[in-house]
Amino acid sequence: MDLGNKIVELRKKKDLSREDLGKLVGTSGAVIGRYERQEITPSVEIANKIALALGVSLDFLVGNVELELNDTLMEKVKEVNKMSDKDKDYVFTLIDAFIARNKLQTILK
């Protein structure tokens, strides 16, 4: 999905008008509309502000990653990152177990 469509989709998900998003990032609704129609491309600084306002990573917004790292997930990742290496290993082991279980359930269906 291109940047313009991704902005539209995420903006609507957040129930924001173009004007609302424009105010959050320091521009106008008309400029947001031009980004959405891909008439112009936002600078990196503005794209980052748009990503923050929409609660996603800049990488997700511009299509570098498929996974939407929303605010809740990002907060959890940040908390895990603060843990000791030993505790991180425990968390990763638990996550790996759930992933393996999910894959197995998918295969068995």
Side-chain angles (χ1 to χ4, degrees), residues 11 48 64 86 88 91 93:
R11 178 177 59 76
N48 190 50
N64 288 339
K86 184 177 179 181
K88 284 179 191 176
V91 170
T93 300

Side-chain angles (χ1 to χ4, degrees), residues 1 33 53 91 100-102 108-109:
M1 180 182 302
V91 170
R101 185 186 77 169
N102 188 55
L108 296 175
K109 287 184 180 179

Side-chain angles (χ1 to χ4, degrees), residues 19-37:
E19 290 297 324
D20 294 335
L21 182 57
K23 287 177 187 172
L24 290 172
V25 301
T27 191
S28 69
V31 171
I32 297 296
R34 293 185 71 198
Y35 296 150
E36 291 177 350
R37 292 185 301 276

Side-chain angles (χ1 to χ4, degrees), residues 10-101:
L10 294 168
R11 178 177 59 76
K12 288 181 177 180
K13 225 178 185 181
K14 287 272 193 180
D15 198 29
L16 294 171
S17 69
R18 288 179 179 150
E19 290 297 324
D20 294 335
L21 182 57
K23 287 177 187 172
L24 290 172
V25 301
T27 191
S28 69
V31 171
I32 297 296
R34 293 185 71 198
Y35 296 150
E36 291 177 350
R37 292 185 301 276
Q38 296 191 76
E39 294 172 359
I40 58 174
T41 303
S43 67
V44 173
E45 294 91 30
I46 294 296
N48 190 50
K49 287 180 181 181
I50 291 170
L52 291 171
L54 296 174
V56 297
S57 70
L58 180 57
D59 278 336
F60 180 75
L61 182 66
V62 298
N64 288 339
V65 293
E66 295 293 318
L67 175 65
E68 180 180 344
L69 296 175
N70 61 35
D71 294 339
T72 303
L73 185 55
M74 282 304 299
E75 287 306 313
K76 291 182 188 295
V77 169
K78 288 176 186 176
E79 289 302 316
V80 169
N81 195 46
K82 294 177 188 175
M83 295 177 180
S84 68
D85 287 343
K86 184 177 179 181
D87 286 346
K88 284 179 191 176
D89 286 341
Y90 288 137
V91 170
F92 295 146
T93 300
L94 184 62
I95 290 171
D96 288 342
F98 276 102
I99 290 169
R101 185 186 77 169

